[in-house]
Amino acid sequence: MASVNPFNLSDSEEEAERRPNETVDTERSPSDGAPGPPPGNPFSPPADAEPPTLLLSSNRTSPSGEGISVSAAGTSAMAGSTEARVSVDVIAAQLLRDQYILTALEFHTELLEAGRELPRLRDYFSNPGNFERQSGTPPAKDQVLGPGGPLSDTRMRKKYTLISTLDSLDFARYSDDGNRESDERVAVLEFELRKAKETIQALRANLTQAAESEVPSQERKNFKSSPEIQEPIRPLEKRALNFLVNEYLLKNEYKLSSITFSDENDDQDFELWDDVGLNIPKPPDLLQLYRNCGTPLPSPRDTVDVSVGVDFGDLPGNCIAQEPPKKPDLSQQQQTEVVQELEYQISLLNNEKQMQVCPPTDNGQYLDIRGVSEAGNDTTSVQNTSHPQSHNKLKSQPPVQFDQPNRKLSPVFQQALLSFCRMCSDSRLGAEVSRIADSEESVMLMLGRCLPHIVPNVLLAKREELIPLILCTACLHPEPKERDQLLHILFNLIKRPDDEQRQMILTGCVAFARHVGPTRVEAELLPQCWEQINHKYPERRLLVAESCGALAPYLPKEIRSSLVLSMLQQMLAEDKADMVREAVVKSLGIIMGYIDDPDKYSQGFELMLLSLGDPSERVVSAVHQVFIPAFAAWTTELGTLHTALIPSLLARIEKLLNQGEHGLDEHKLHVFLSALQSLIPPLFAVVLQNAPFTSRAKLHGDIPAIEVTRFPRPASPLQDVATIIGSREMLSALLLLYDHQLEHEGTTGWDSLLWVVNQLLPQLIDIVGRINVTSSTCVHEFSRFFWRFCRTFGKIFTNTKVKPQFQEILRLSEENVDASAGNGILTKATVPIYATGVLTCYNQEEDRKLLVGFLEDVMTTLSLSHAPLDSLKASFVELGANPVYHELLLTVLWYGVVHTSALVRCTAARMFELLVKGVNETLVAQRVVPALITLSSDPEISVRISTIPAFGTIMETVTQKELLERVKMQLASFLEDPQYQDQHSLHMEIIRTFGRVGPNAEPRFRDEFVLPHLHKLALANNSQVTESKRIDIATQLFEAYSALSCCFISEEVMVNHFLPGLRCLRADMEQLSPEHEVILSSMIKECEIKVENRGMSDAQGSMSIASSLVGEDAKTKFLSKMGQLTTSGAMLANVFQRKK
């Protein structure tokens, strides 16, 4: 019996399956709707012709069957009327049914020449299957009539077997009646050629069988028992592989390689699969074989004739279970189970042989189906004897009885009759279906055999439905090898599992671990994780990372702290996918929750630092949410949280500050400080759990609920103090005792809190005083740290322990400010951090008053000491980011506006510039502008000049027209009032402000106010006598014009103000700074060209002057001179800014 490849059905096989159905449809009579020519073109036979007899055959490929005549009435009516016309389709059908193939072919040719193609004939002659199958069944003699009488079978076969397809025929040859004799000779020769090919094919099939048996059976056994010995390739295997390789090359456009490959194998025809010599259907192509190589496919079962003795060892693995390798550590029970299963397979095969020894004596057309009894009662006896002794549950049941008919059919006839039931038990699946499992063990064995074949055929989107089946089988299957295969299938079930599918697999892994225990988890599940640690798909590596955390509670403790920790450490350091490293960090946190080896503390600390330095935000977030809380919980148990972990982080921060003489690494500082911030909740829990009152905490009685705002919002549940303590009730009871202890009893004997007060706080305050106050990032980080620290430890602790230590250092007096060196404590970051991190923790009235008083004192002290205002500016910037504090800051500034000292009033005027951008326009109109107008009329000219930057910022940010007009009038008074005509510092401040706010200000304000006044200032500067003042004004004008050149300027303003101003400035630069003069000349030239072309191209007119400087000459001069400029880089940078 030939083997069958389930993946490939040849065309002939598909046709054989379709044939019974197709013939019914294609050979209907015209009355059934068969296709035919149009009714206007009938085909009329001669009047004296014998009326045709219409026959309907049940199978067009079997013409020997008896025809069914049409009704007598129809026949007589046709014979009696000479006017009756028969359609060409009926004639064609009759010719085909009677096997007049050549006549039908010539009829088809004449219809084609007449332009009347008949679908029936076209379909028939274009189907090569009609001629391949008809060669073995000649027509009946009474249906084949030649010109001289009946044709012999041989002659007729020679005529119609030569035709392969309609496309290969020479119609002219058959349409010429004079050459009929030579045509028949050609037909005979072609038939002989076809017979020769059939003979070659038969010989090739024999060679195939001979080649398959070249390797002796004993040698084949050696190959099976020793897989490491490579069996040599057989000739037929080589030809098959050559064919597949050449096919792959052609399909993928490697034509030259295919030609070369064909030349090197000139003994093989690569266009015909049959040339390979294998008497089997063509296998899948190389791509399909590669895709299926990872999943075991059902191998075709070889069959053996029942009359030939077969060695039991030669039977394939799909028929019987292969002999397992010797395992000395197998238990006696497992060995018994294996032996019983083998006995069951043997008895099953013996039963098959018995059923096939006496096949029915028929003509060989019917197939014997295994497992069907010859008589009624034999069925139950066969079923009962086919099971081994281990399956004794079925034997204990009474035999099943069936009602037998009162008939006297011979067993052979009954067997042949039942063989028409389309059953298949000679395949792997048929063998599984034909026997029903009779015990839990046999169910597991059956699932272990079937699941590897089921999984590849299930849709990817639904494969998670197989997880329960795989897991149950893997849990209960007796064979370790099968269990390993099933778990391998589980981890490879889905190519790229999504989040929901991974959760399902993880749930199954945990259920498996709970069922089998730590030993089997280590031996069976962990190897699957290790195999996929470097998988190419990140989803699979993500599954591994998540599995390590999910399985941590069910692993032996030695494995948790060694193998699993090493796996996760490797993935954290090497994996490139952010989501994988995020899962690794979370799993590491779970491991830290179960680890109990103190020697692993240093490794855990290094892992924390490594993960905190990860470039991905999601990984760092996972560190704070999971890893640090779990690691802190472990160090709390070890007693090293406040003795080792926190001091280590503080030491690293101090080391950074010591190395930061050439620039502080703010990223590393953020890493260490954020870790400290995440350790605040566990530190507070340690303080509560080691307090003198801890033993007195009781859960019964009226315990007030904790206020929602008592603690900062935790980053994760693991950072919630209630979660760390154990419950909110216990935390509430401890908080009551904590506040009472601090307020009334003190900290005597409270070692953990004393460490916080006497060691942690002083060290933190010292670190704060050493950071750069101009670094807004550092100030913000430390402010947030102290805010969370004070909110966590409570208001009483903040007022009694934190504030006094800051106030001791920040003694608000002039002696505490070293104006000459600029290194007084009030100029350090301590001021903004104390103001924004400590004084803003609580928002009661007394707290706000304390903050206002502190800022007023700092502003006064710094102003009177002529000290830098950086610390005050940092405080305003940090507080101004929160609208809640805008009113408070305006109160502080109004205090400065009405201060008696001009220095304080100047400071207040400059602080308004920082505050304007964040304050809403209502406050600007009601509080800011009135204060600035008050200062602009100050008796001191320095105070008036200090208001100009704030007025400029208002022009840049505010949109209310009335407000802008008020500001515009005030600035105009500065420029046009004769008393300011010689105020060099005022003119410098105005030009600097115009250059800063001009590109972002309202276009009307820029065109009507800024540019005309810059033109006036440039013109006035030409007549300046003092050279130092002249070059200062010229330099500021150059920066302002450079910034404004980015804006769109109308033609009128360009001609009347912008170009004249540039020419005045160039006149100054020719004498004072030739390098600036070159750039100004280029700018003037481009502006003039732009004005000339404005009328020709409006699109060009919208371009800025700076973008026009892309000409090679201008660009070369601009870049060559830019590096030589000695002016401020801050204003030069504005050259490259565009209008927002």
Side-chain angles (χ1 to χ4, degrees), residues 38-345:
N41 295 323
F43 182 81
S44 301
D48 57 349
E50 182 182 353
T53 302
L54 301 181
L55 301 178
L56 295 176
S57 173
S58 62
N59 192 335
R60 71 184 177 191
T61 60
S62 300
S64 58
E66 297 264 333
I68 302 173
S69 61
V70 186
S71 64
T75 305
S76 60
M78 185 178 296
S81 175
T82 59
E83 297 295 331
R85 303 172 68 86
V86 182
S87 68
V88 291
D89 187 68
V90 174
I91 296 174
Q94 185 69 25
L95 290 174
L96 293 178
R97 273 195 297 272
D98 294 345
Q99 293 297 312
Y100 295 122
I101 305 300
L102 293 180
T103 305
L105 178 61
E106 190 160 352
F107 183 35
H108 178 54
T109 305
E110 292 175 349
L111 288 176
L112 282 176
E113 292 173 351
R116 299 168 54 196
E117 183 181 19
L118 191 62
R120 180 187 297 275
L121 294 176
R122 178 196 63 203
D123 295 342
Y124 185 84
F125 288 114
S126 63
N127 186 358
N130 293 328
F131 313 104
E132 294 287 346
R133 296 182 182 266
Q134 288 171 351
S135 60
T137 310
K141 292 183 179 181
D142 56 350
Q143 293 180 355
V144 183
L145 297 176
L151 295 176
S152 66
D153 293 352
T154 303
R155 181 181 177 187
M156 190 61 203
R157 186 183 298 112
K158 288 179 182 179
K159 284 188 177 182
Y160 68 76
T161 55
L162 63 93
I163 304 170
S164 58
T165 62
L166 181 62
D167 296 336
S168 63
L169 296 175
D170 184 3
F171 293 134
R173 181 179 65 188
Y174 293 104
S175 62
D176 188 1
D177 294 335
N179 296 329
R180 181 64 58 89
E181 183 177 354
S182 60
D183 291 341
E184 290 183 355
R185 175 176 173 79
V186 172
V188 171
L189 293 176
E190 290 183 351
F191 171 73
E192 291 176 352
L193 177 61
R194 182 180 296 277
K195 293 298 293 181
K197 288 183 178 180
E198 291 177 356
T199 304
I200 293 173
Q201 189 70 14
L203 293 175
R204 186 178 290 125
N206 294 334
L207 288 174
T208 300
Q209 297 178 358
E212 290 292 336
S213 60
E214 283 180 1
V215 181
S217 60
Q218 184 60 39
E219 185 177 350
R220 200 175 304 138
K221 289 181 182 179
N222 294 337
F223 290 135
K224 292 180 180 179
S225 60
S226 302
E228 65 275 3
I229 303 176
Q230 181 66 42
E231 183 176 356
I233 187 171
R234 301 173 186 174
L236 294 171
E237 292 174 340
K238 180 179 179 181
R239 294 174 68 84
L241 291 174
N242 287 348
F243 186 90
L244 294 177
V245 169
N246 185 74
E247 181 186 46
Y248 168 78
L249 293 174
L250 288 176
K251 283 184 178 179
N252 292 274
E253 301 297 332
Y254 299 117
K255 295 183 179 179
L256 294 179
S257 301
S258 174
I259 294 172
T260 306
F261 188 73
S262 301
D263 292 341
E264 293 177 345
N265 297 274
D266 54 358
D267 60 338
Q268 185 173 348
D269 183 6
F270 287 110
E271 296 182 358
L272 183 63
W273 166 255
D274 292 337
D275 184 70
V276 171
L278 297 175
N279 196 23
I280 59 173
K282 180 177 173 294
D285 57 22
L286 282 183
L287 178 61
Q288 193 66 27
L289 291 174
Y290 171 76
R291 288 175 175 172
N292 295 331
C293 66
T295 55
L297 298 174
S299 60
R301 173 180 295 190
D302 295 335
T303 56
V304 188
D305 292 338
V306 296
S307 60
V308 180
V310 182
D311 188 4
F312 180 78
D314 288 340
L315 292 174
N318 282 345
C319 296
I320 62 170
Q322 295 181 359
E323 182 179 356
K326 295 183 179 180
K327 296 183 180 180
D329 57 344
L330 282 178
S331 63
Q332 185 66 31
Q333 180 181 0
Q334 290 175 332
Q335 293 178 358
T336 305
E337 291 172 353
V338 173
V339 171
Q340 291 175 349
E341 179 64 19
L342 290 174
E343 291 176 351
Y344 170 68
Q345 299 283 356

Side-chain angles (χ1 to χ4, degrees), residues 812 835 839-840 845-860 872 876 879 885 887-893 895:
L812 299 175
L839 297 181
T840 61
E845 186 63 29
E846 61 272 14
D847 302 308
R848 297 175 67 87
K849 287 182 178 179
L850 184 60
L851 177 59
V852 169
F854 174 74
L855 291 176
E856 291 175 352
D857 292 341
V858 170
M859 182 171 61
T860 304
L872 185 63
F876 270 72
L879 291 171
Y885 297 106
E887 285 278 1
L888 184 145
L889 293 175
L890 289 172
T891 303
V892 173
L893 290 181
Y895 167 83

Side-chain angles (χ1 to χ4, degrees), residues 10 98 271 358 405 429 539 586 896 1101:
S10 64
D98 294 345
E271 296 182 358
C358 299
L429 184 58
E539 292 85 356
K586 292 180 179 178

